[in-house]
Structure formats: C-alpha cells, structure tokens
C-alpha cells in the first residue's frame, strides 16, 4: 500500500547529546522540529554531570532554551557516585545512570573498566527503579585483539553478568551496532532492552572509513550486522527502540585529521527515520519504534501532541550554525508538516 502521510505522537528520543554553551543553543531549539517531544539527555559534558544538582541545573538551562520538550536526565557513572546521591537522584526524578567505558568515546577519559566496583550502586538503582544506560564497548586492547570492530561484541559478557546479578535492574544497551548485540538482547530477560540509531540502520564500515561525517561510536559494522538491526526493527520486537545518539560537533572538529566521533540527526530525526523505514518496507513499524516501545520500557506516559509526516521531498541543509547534519545536502523523501 502506498502511504503518503503519517500522523504519530511526538517521538521519545531516548539517547541524545545536547551539549552546552554555543552548541546547546543551536541544537536544543531544533529538537521538536525534528519530531521529538521527550529526550533522554546524556551526561558527558565538560565537566561530566555527576550530581543531581548539576543535572537539575542543566535541565533548567535546557528548558529555558526550549520549553516545548521534556528532558529526562542522567548522571555519569563514576567512582565518586554514592548510594546517597543515587537516592537523591531518584527523588529528583533523574531517570538513569550512564556508564561509559574508559576512553572509548567523546569525554570518556575517566570512564569505567571494572563493573563490579559498582555493584552496591546497581543494587540501589535496582531497588529505586533507576535505569542503567550502558555504552556497550570495551576499550581497545592489542594483546586481547580488541579494536573498534569487535569492542561491542566483547562487551556483551559484561551486560550478561550485570543482568544475571541484578535481574530486576532495567538496563538499556545503547546504540547497538551488531548482530551479536541484537541476539544477546533478545536472549536476556525483559529488563534488558536496546536503543538503535537512525544512522546505524543505514551505514556500514565502508560509509565511515575516510568519511568523517559518518564516523561515530560505536562505529557502524558489517552489512550482516546492519541486516540484523533492520530485521529486528521489522520484527517489531518491543525491546528495541529509538535512541538517536545525535552527537553534534562543530564542522572544524569533524573535518580534522583526528575527527570527533558523533553524527548529528536531531533537526530531521523523524524524516530520516521515515525515509529509512520506507526503504525497508516497514513504515507501519515507525510509530511503535519511536513512540511506544521506549516509553513503555521506561514507564513513561504517552505524549499527547502529534506530528504529521508527509511524502514531500526536502534537501538536508549543508549545516546548522557550523554543525554539519547527517547526510548533509542529500535529498530526503519525507518532511514534517505543520
Ligand atoms: C558521542 C559524543 O560525541 O558525545 N559520540 C558518538 O560518536 N556517539 C558519545 C557517545 O555516545 O559515544
Ligand atoms: Zn551517545
């Protein structure tokens, strides 16, 4: 059936980088323009968001820039985090604690290497219903033959171990990129789910090697991995939902001999997804992926406001205030109409 218009609630983008200072001022007003009404905000600022107080201040700043969006906040898992701080966070309605392995991505120099030292915190999170958001990669290690192509697969043992120890702790394996991750999340209990980005439904290694604007962490992997992500989307498995991992960097930080990792999708999030879902012949799965599955896993209420996507082509801008968006200057087949 030929579909040329879709109306759905504003989306839940359950993994987004909104930055600070100038980048934040550009990015935050674009969130609802891209079709999201609620976002889970990542804490990897400089300095990291490590306390409830910092998270609430950041939330205030985001609200002041764009009050049309709801901001769900996270803290950066780190050795200074205490049980009292976790309790404070829960009371302040902070939703999750984000774990970054050491050195694998932007601002993760003091990330995690050993998860067991956090077991007391995980127990408290399990008790209070806070979510553990995992960046699922292990650090590269030449002796163990670990590099960015198998860093996610090698992380899955940690996911499994944490889940077995804390079966009631809700865990989201963020921005999955491999068939192995899809299979592991399918296999584990209902408290384990995963986010999938729009770009990982499109890209493979060939698209980012030598193409800095498509470079992000975790890197896009093999065609067979992309096929597994596409298949799980098409299957409509509620354990897999939208987290864009939109991660803006200035053009100068991307067009550089040592490019920052991150792909910027916030301003056209739903049109990108509608394009991809149409190509995959599963537009009928778009609404649940963007608006239902994530919200239900997180226990959030339904968003009332709707948007309409229409099959009208548009050209993706070359940049937004020195930030180059995903597929810049390319043609999209869908747009959000007022
Ligand atoms: C993110 C960023 O730039 O903050 N980069 C990325 O490539 N995804 C960090 C992250 O989520 O890994
Ligand atoms: Zn991210």
């Amino acid at each position: 059936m030929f579909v040329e218009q879709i109306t759905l609630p504003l989306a839940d983008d359950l993994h987004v980088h909104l930055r600070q200072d100038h980048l934040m001022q550009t990015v935050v007003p674009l969130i609802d323009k891209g079709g999201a009404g609620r976002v889970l905000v990542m804490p990897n600022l400089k300095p990291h968001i490590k306390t409830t107080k910092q998270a609430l201040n950041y939330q205030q700043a985001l609200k002041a820039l764009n009050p049309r969006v709801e901001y769900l906040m996270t803290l950066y898992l780190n050795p200074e985090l205490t049980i009292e701080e976790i309790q404070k966070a829960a009371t302040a309605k902070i939703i999750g604690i984000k774990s970054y392995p050491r050195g694998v991505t932007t601002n993760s120099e003091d990330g995690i290497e050993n998860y067991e030292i956090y077991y007391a915190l995980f127990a408290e999170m399990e008790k209070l219903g806070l979510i553990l958001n995992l960046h699922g990669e292990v650090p590269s290690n030449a002796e163990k033959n670990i590099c960015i192509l198998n860093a996610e697969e090698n992380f899955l043992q940690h996911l499994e171990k944490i889940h077995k120890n804390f079966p009631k702790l809700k865990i989201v394996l963020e921005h999955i990129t491999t068939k192995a991750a899809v299979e592991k999340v399918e296999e584990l209990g209902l408290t384990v789910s995963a986010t999938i980005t729009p770009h990982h439904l499109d890209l493979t290694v060939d698209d980012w090697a030598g193409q800095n604007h498509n470079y992000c962490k975790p890197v896009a992997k093999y065609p067979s991995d992309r096929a597994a992500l596409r298949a799980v989307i098409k299957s409509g498995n509620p354990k897999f939902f939208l987290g864009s991992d939109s991660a803006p960097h200035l053009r100068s930080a991307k067009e550089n001999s040592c490019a920052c990792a991150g792909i910027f999708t916030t301003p056209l999030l739903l049109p990108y997804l509608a394009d991809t879902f149409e190509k995959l012949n599963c537009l009928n799965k778009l609404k649940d992926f963007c608006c239902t599955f994530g919200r239900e896993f997180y226990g959030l209420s339904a968003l009332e406001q709707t948007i309409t996507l229409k099959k009208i082509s548009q050209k993706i801008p070359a940049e937004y205030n020195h930030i180059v968006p995903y597929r810049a200057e390319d043609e999209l087949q869908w747009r959000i109409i007022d």
Side-chain angles (χ1 to χ4, degrees):
M1 197 182 71
F2 182 71
V3 179
E4 61 170 40
Q5 188 164 309
I6 308 168
T7 296
L8 69 176
L10 281 170
D12 283 305
D13 181 357
L14 292 166
H15 182 131
V16 71
H17 298 269
L18 298 178
R19 309 303 195 204
Q20 55 211 116
D21 306 325
H22 294 305
L23 281 179
M24 167 168 107
Q25 279 162 23
T26 302
V27 172
V28 173
L30 296 169
I31 300 169
D32 50 317
K33 309 261 183 302
R38 187 162 48 197
V39 289
L40 185 76
V41 183
M42 290 298 118
N44 64 331
L45 305 188
K46 279 183 174 168
H48 302 324
I49 302 288
K50 290 182 174 176
T51 65
T52 304
K53 189 159 177 260
Q54 285 172 315
L56 294 180
N57 285 341
Y58 186 33
Q59 189 180 42
Q60 278 308 111
L62 296 168
K63 269 189 201 158
L65 271 174
N66 186 348
R68 301 176 300 278
V69 173
E70 197 180 321
Y71 304 92
L72 308 173
M73 307 308 288
T74 58
L75 300 184
Y76 196 112
L77 184 61
N78 72 91
E80 292 154 37
L81 200 56
T82 59
I83 291 194
E84 293 71 47
E85 195 60 44
I86 295 279
Q87 291 164 346
K88 225 197 257 180
T91 308
K93 299 209 170 1
I94 284 168
I95 298 285
I97 309 290
K98 176 72 190 284
S99 152
Y100 287 98
R102 186 183 301 278
V104 300
T105 190
T106 313
N107 299 340
S108 64
E109 298 75 17
D110 53 356
I112 316 300
E113 269 174 321
N114 171 4
Y115 293 86
E116 281 167 27
I117 62 167
Y118 293 107
Y119 276 14
L121 295 185
F122 294 167
E124 193 65 19
M125 288 166 61
E126 185 178 44
K127 195 166 106 195
L128 297 174
L130 265 87
I131 291 185
L132 177 62
N133 304 95
L134 292 174
H135 183 117
E137 291 186 293
V138 294
S140 291
N141 181 324
E143 276 167 28
K144 295 184 183 161
N145 192 33
I146 294 173
C147 66
I148 57 172
L149 287 181
N150 58 12
E152 182 174 280
E153 201 159 341
N154 277 284
F155 179 82
L156 297 175
Q157 56 184 308
H158 295 295
L159 169 69
E160 184 155 11
K161 198 165 165 209
I162 298 169
H163 173 58
K164 295 268 146 79
N165 278 286
F166 302 96
K168 292 196 181 124
L169 174 65
K170 283 193 192 175
I171 302 176
V172 182
L173 185 61
E174 301 290 340
H175 41 51
I176 58 167
T177 61
T178 53
K179 184 167 187 277
V182 170
E183 288 170 354
K184 186 55 72 185
V185 171
E186 282 176 334
E187 171 198 322
L188 298 179
L190 288 175
T191 48
V192 178
S193 65
T195 50
I196 294 181
T197 74
H199 47 276
H200 288 120
L201 292 171
D202 292 344
L203 306 176
T204 67
V205 173
D206 291 4
D207 300 300
W208 60 259
Q211 300 180 63
N212 290 0
H213 288 294
N214 286 340
Y215 171 58
C216 68
K217 291 304 256 341
V219 296
K221 306 289 189 316
Y222 283 74
S224 53
D225 292 307
R226 180 180 62 184
L229 297 176
R230 289 174 168 178
V232 84
I233 296 288
K234 289 183 84 160
S235 78
N237 184 333
K239 285 180 146 216
F240 300 85
F241 48 81
L242 171 64
S244 71
D245 195 22
S246 175
H249 293 280
L250 288 176
R251 179 191 284 279
S252 54
K254 293 291 288 178
E255 295 177 2
N256 186 306
S257 60
C258 185
C260 285
I263 292 179
F264 181 46
T265 48
T266 290
L268 293 163
L269 182 58
L270 268 290
Y272 287 126
L273 285 164
D275 248 40
T276 301
F277 276 58
E278 185 179 43
K279 275 188 210 124
L280 299 179
N281 221 348
C282 63
L283 269 176
N284 60 335
K285 305 288 183 189
L286 185 67
K287 180 177 165 202
D288 281 343
F289 178 71
C290 300
C291 316
T292 315
F293 296 155
R295 161 173 89 62
E296 286 182 345
F297 185 82
Y298 274 80
L300 303 167
S301 59
L303 293 178
E304 307 237 310
Q305 205 184 321
T306 58
I307 49 158
T308 297
L309 285 152
K310 201 167 166 89
K311 190 140 192 214
I312 306 172
S313 67
Q314 62 171 320
K315 193 171 172 190
I316 301 171
E319 61 168 56
Y320 293 83
N321 206 5
H322 308 293
I323 308 169
V324 178
Y326 180 50
R327 293 177 53 190
E329 297 187 84
D330 204 353
E331 197 84 13
L332 275 173
Q333 300 310 313
W334 289 83
R335 67 160 71 207
I336 295 173
I337 56 167
D338 295 323

